[in-house]
Amino acid sequence: MKSHNTNTTYVVYLFFCLLITSSSAQSLIRQSTDDLTTTLQQENGEKADPILGEAHYLYQNDLEISSDDYKVSPLNAVTGLRNRPPMSYSLKMESFNTLLQSTEAERYESRPFPVGGHKWSLIVYPNGNKQDNGTGFISLYVAIDNSTLIAKHLEVIADLRFYVFKKNERKYFTIQDTHAWRYNIFKTMWGFSQVLPLATFRDPRNGYLYDGDQCEFGVDVTINSPFQSSELFSVARNFDNPKFTWRIQGFSKLLGDKYFSDTFSVGGRNWNIQVNPSGRGTAKGKALSMYLLLNANEKLKPYEKIYVRAKLRVVDQPIFPFLGGTNIEKQIDHWFTNPGEIWGYNEFISRDELTSFLTGYIMNDVLIVEAEMEAISSTKYFP
């Protein structure tokens, strides 16, 4: 019994090996045959499959690629109508029906036109690009001249918008993809195989084919080149020493128009407080004016601006400290654009309230004011 089982196992093993050997041999034969067929086609002058050559055509399988690099699914196509004509190139045809009836003129390719240092051509398939599932449609593509792809691995990223003139509305039907198109030596042509159904295009009521057999196509080619300059904007908060206090001695003896505190530094910038004891502008003679000043010696780059959020404060000095005080505090929220610029309040506190003995804002002829910085922006530019 044991011997019988052993023989059965051995037979099964031999049969399994024979199957593997047969499968491998068929695969090898098929590969050799395919290579031989390709060689014979090239020797006989037949063209290689374009998707393997210059990859001009987008087959149905290509339309389903999910990679962001080559995503050309029709689901990403955006269509619309616009008034302005194409900016890169316009192609007008006066004998479109002749091309439709031709069995040889599969497509029409425009002369090269320059955009972004490269040469491009607009390509129209009047009867649709059959190799790209375009039968029964108008197919439009843009091809790049290989000679402008100087380096072997050079890649040109472009946005394409195709135009078809609609005369009865004096507008252009447009179609574009939400993704950019990547051109290289392996992919030199991109576009849409199903721009408009041919029946729709040929129906004179739609206005695409007019005055007999005239029509107009166009394209915008926009090169997406990496940015050459940039900037980094940031806002700093929670400073180590955000508050500056200025004790103004002999306040009643200040007869000048304006006075400035010592310079203080917060957030990488230098600042001052400016006070106008008798008021400024509309508050002249009625109130104390107070401002935050970006120090005049600060250096700003062209177009640079500094966002600042801060509080200006007149400090209460109560006769009885244990009772506490009521500070006069006002918020600043401003973009500073020039050294020496001030921002604050003409009427910060009325002179009557400021000088009243009962309020306690001036004690022993000393006025105390503060600036408390809450947020300061900075911008770095590259380069």
Side-chain angles (χ1 to χ4, degrees):
M1 185 67 178
K2 181 177 180 181
S3 175
H4 176 73
N5 289 339
T6 300
N7 291 337
T8 303
T9 301
Y10 181 70
V11 170
V12 171
Y13 175 74
L14 287 177
F15 181 73
F16 180 71
C17 291
L18 182 60
L19 285 176
I20 293 178
T21 303
S22 175
S23 177
S24 300
Q26 290 178 4
S27 176
L28 180 61
I29 292 171
R30 183 166 55 251
Q31 179 64 44
S32 300
T33 303
D34 290 344
D35 292 343
L36 179 59
T37 302
T38 301
T39 302
L40 290 174
Q41 288 177 343
Q42 293 174 348
E43 289 178 353
N44 291 331
E46 294 186 21
K47 294 183 179 179
D49 189 324
I51 206 71
L52 301 177
E54 292 185 347
H56 279 182
Y57 302 107
L58 309 179
Y59 292 131
Q60 183 63 32
N61 291 337
D62 294 322
L63 301 180
E64 299 172 354
I65 296 176
S66 59
S67 166
D68 286 340
D69 290 345
Y70 292 101
K71 190 170 184 180
V72 291
S73 168
L75 295 177
N76 296 313
V78 178
T79 61
L81 288 174
R82 59 172 49 203
N83 293 318
R84 71 165 182 81
M87 295 185 297
S88 297
Y89 202 75
S90 173
L91 169 62
K92 295 182 179 180
M93 293 184 167
E94 295 184 343
S95 304
F96 189 79
N97 283 322
T98 303
L99 290 179
L100 285 177
Q101 298 165 5
S102 173
T103 57
E104 298 295 331
E106 180 186 14
R107 70 181 194 176
Y108 181 89
E109 182 171 346
S110 76
R111 65 174 179 174
F113 57 90
V115 174
H118 301 278
K119 293 181 180 180
W120 310 81
S121 295
L122 175 60
I123 299 174
V124 180
Y125 284 80
N127 283 298
N129 184 0
K130 299 177 179 59
Q131 300 184 64
D132 191 14
N133 197 30
T135 302
F137 291 84
I138 297 292
S139 302
L140 296 176
Y141 300 87
V142 167
I144 190 171
D145 184 349
N146 272 337
S147 65
T148 63
L149 299 174
I150 302 172
K152 181 178 180 182
H153 299 292
L154 178 64
E155 187 172 61
V156 178
I157 302 176
D159 283 314
L160 306 177
R161 180 188 288 121
F162 294 94
Y163 291 72
V164 185
F165 185 52
K166 191 175 176 67
K167 187 176 181 180
N168 58 354
E169 297 186 31
R170 305 300 300 176
K171 292 183 178 181
Y172 290 85
F173 169 82
T174 63
I175 182 170
Q176 64 189 101
D177 199 274
T178 57
H179 289 72
W181 310 76
R182 293 177 177 268
Y183 284 85
N184 52 52
I185 59 174
F186 302 106
K187 287 283 188 179
T188 60
M189 192 171 89
W190 287 105
F192 292 96
S193 63
Q194 299 182 4
V195 175
L196 283 169
L198 193 53
T200 300
F201 181 83
R202 297 186 66 181
D203 189 338
R205 293 173 298 179
N206 295 321
Y208 296 112
L209 204 58
Y210 54 89
D211 297 342
D213 60 353
Q214 296 185 33
C215 58
E216 179 184 351
F217 304 100
V219 68
D220 287 344
V221 179
T222 305
I223 304 298
N224 293 291
S225 58
F227 57 83
Q228 301 299 315
S229 57
S230 64
E231 61 187 75
L232 172 63
F233 174 81
S234 60
V235 178
R237 304 175 64 182
N238 303 319
F239 306 106
D240 291 337
N241 298 293
K243 186 164 61 176
F244 174 77
T245 302
W246 180 20
R247 297 176 60 87
I248 305 175
Q249 307 283 346
F251 182 79
S252 63
K253 300 179 178 64
L254 300 179
L255 303 178
D257 180 56
K258 57 187 175 184
Y259 295 85
F260 302 95
S261 72
D262 291 338
T263 300
F264 61 97
S265 297
V266 181
R269 298 291 184 177
N270 293 322
W271 310 90
N272 301 89
I273 299 175
Q274 174 183 321
V275 296
N276 296 68
S278 297
R280 177 175 177 266
T282 57
K284 189 73 173 178
K286 298 185 295 184
L288 171 79
S289 301
M290 184 160 58
Y291 311 91
L292 179 67
L293 179 146
L294 177 61
N295 190 270
N297 294 321
E298 278 294 319
K299 304 295 183 184
L300 272 68
K301 301 179 183 68
Y303 308 104
E304 184 179 10
K305 50 189 178 291
I306 304 170
Y307 170 74
V308 174
R309 190 170 68 242
K311 287 185 175 70
L312 292 177
R313 185 180 297 123
V314 171
V315 179
D316 191 5
Q317 305 174 69
I319 299 175
F320 304 105
F322 61 88
L323 295 177
T326 304
N327 298 332
I328 301 297
E329 183 177 276
K330 295 189 177 182
Q331 187 77 42
I332 286 179
D333 197 288
H334 182 64
W335 291 91
F336 287 83
T337 57
N338 295 292
E341 181 180 345
I342 62 172
W343 193 259
Y345 297 87
N346 289 344
E347 191 171 340
F348 196 89
I349 180 174
S350 70
R351 285 195 60 84
D352 291 341
E353 184 179 4
L354 178 68
T355 57
S356 172
F357 175 77
L358 298 176
T359 58
Y361 292 118
I362 299 176
M363 294 296 292
N364 300 321
D365 208 19
V366 175
L367 173 67
I368 303 175
V369 297
E370 292 179 341
E372 185 171 353
M373 313 299 283
E374 298 177 332
I376 301 174
S377 74
S378 63
T379 307
K380 295 181 180 179
Y381 296 92
F382 310 94

